């Protein structure tokens, strides 16, 4: 069960529930581990913890698959009641003010929270390593082997005008 009832958190000593997650996530094709602390803070629930896993990614440069060691922190705050009425006017958020509105829901979906956290923790530019050959080819024949769409460029003649 990957959904935690808010009532369950509130019934724990000091309103703090410790939760361990260790499951295979199909979306990433690997096991994801998380140690979380869910704490009831009046009208809010704070979720903090660590998320780890080894995810297979494809390098943006050479297109080879490589293993990425995920190790990220979660620090999320959820509002138990609806925030829309309280904050009906537009205002600017600053660091640490982002709160997820549960819209009256009585539970927090841990699977969804971890999925979103992993997605946000993945690198924007996925590179297999510092020595990546960037998909560079050693000869004209390699270009034809790897991508036949490049054939059109083999016979281009560029005249230089000075």
């Amino acid at each position: 069960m990957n959904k935690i009832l808010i009532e369950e958190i509130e019934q724990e000593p000091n309103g703090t529930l410790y939760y361990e997650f260790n499951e295979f996530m199909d979306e990433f094709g690997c096991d994801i581990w998380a140690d979380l602390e869910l704490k009831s803070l009046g009208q809010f629930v704070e979720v903090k913890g660590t998320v780890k896993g080894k995810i297979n990614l494809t390098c943006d440069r050479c297109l080879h698959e490589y293993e990425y060691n995920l190790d990220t922190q979660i620090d999320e705050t959820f509002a138990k009641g609806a925030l829309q009425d309280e904050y009906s006017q537009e205002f600017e958020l600053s660091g640490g003010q982002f709160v997820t509105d549960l819209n009256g829901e009585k539970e927090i979906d841990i699977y969804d929270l971890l999925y979103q956290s992993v997605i946000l923790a993945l690198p924007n530019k996925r590179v297999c390593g510092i020595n990546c050959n960037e998909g560079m080819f050693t000869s004209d024949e390699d270009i034809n082997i790897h991508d036949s769409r490049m054939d059109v460029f083999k016979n281009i003649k560029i005249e230089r005008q000075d």
Side-chain angles (χ1 to χ4, degrees):
M1 169 113 160
N2 294 315
K3 294 187 178 186
I4 304 292
L5 291 172
I6 293 171
E7 181 180 310
E8 189 178 333
I9 300 166
E10 292 171 340
Q11 291 174 352
E12 290 292 316
N14 298 322
T16 303
L17 174 75
Y18 297 96
Y19 185 82
E20 290 183 14
F21 180 94
N22 182 4
E23 274 191 40
F24 184 85
M25 294 183 85
D26 290 329
E27 298 86 350
F28 306 112
C30 69
D31 287 320
I32 298 293
W33 301 275
D35 288 318
L36 303 174
E37 177 185 276
L38 295 90
K39 189 171 203 167
S40 178
L41 304 170
Q43 291 301 309
F44 301 95
V45 174
E46 181 181 72
V47 180
K48 290 186 175 188
T50 303
V51 182
K52 296 183 179 188
K54 293 182 186 275
I55 300 175
N56 290 326
L57 299 177
T58 301
C59 179
D60 289 338
R61 290 183 181 170
C62 67
L63 302 179
H64 289 108
E65 199 170 279
Y66 71 100
E67 191 174 82
Y68 177 76
N69 290 317
L70 174 74
D71 189 355
T72 190
Q73 299 294 312
I74 289 182
D75 188 358
E76 295 285 329
T77 304
F78 294 89
K80 294 177 186 175
L83 291 176
Q84 188 173 8
D85 299 335
E86 191 174 331
Y87 297 106
S88 59
Q89 294 180 335
E90 189 174 308
F91 65 97
E92 184 177 339
L93 294 174
S94 61
Q97 286 185 317
F98 185 76
V99 176
T100 302
D101 192 342
L102 289 174
N103 293 317
E105 290 289 324
K106 302 294 183 200
E107 58 191 15
I108 295 174
D109 188 341
I110 299 297
Y111 191 92
D112 185 55
L113 173 63
L114 293 176
Y115 172 78
Q116 291 179 36
S117 297
V118 170
I119 290 292
L120 291 172
L122 293 176
N124 291 329
K125 178 104 174 149
R126 298 172 183 178
V127 180
C128 62
I130 195 165
N131 295 323
C132 177
N133 68 5
E134 298 185 32
M136 298 176 78
F137 303 107
T138 57
S139 70
D140 290 341
E141 290 179 17
D142 287 342
I143 293 173
N144 295 335
I145 292 170
H146 292 295
D147 194 343
S148 61
R149 296 174 296 173
M150 296 298 185
D151 288 345
V152 71
F153 296 109
K154 285 176 85 175
N155 298 321
I156 289 180
K157 302 230 189 278
I158 299 174
E159 293 182 22
R160 202 168 183 189
Q161 295 179 350
D162 292 325

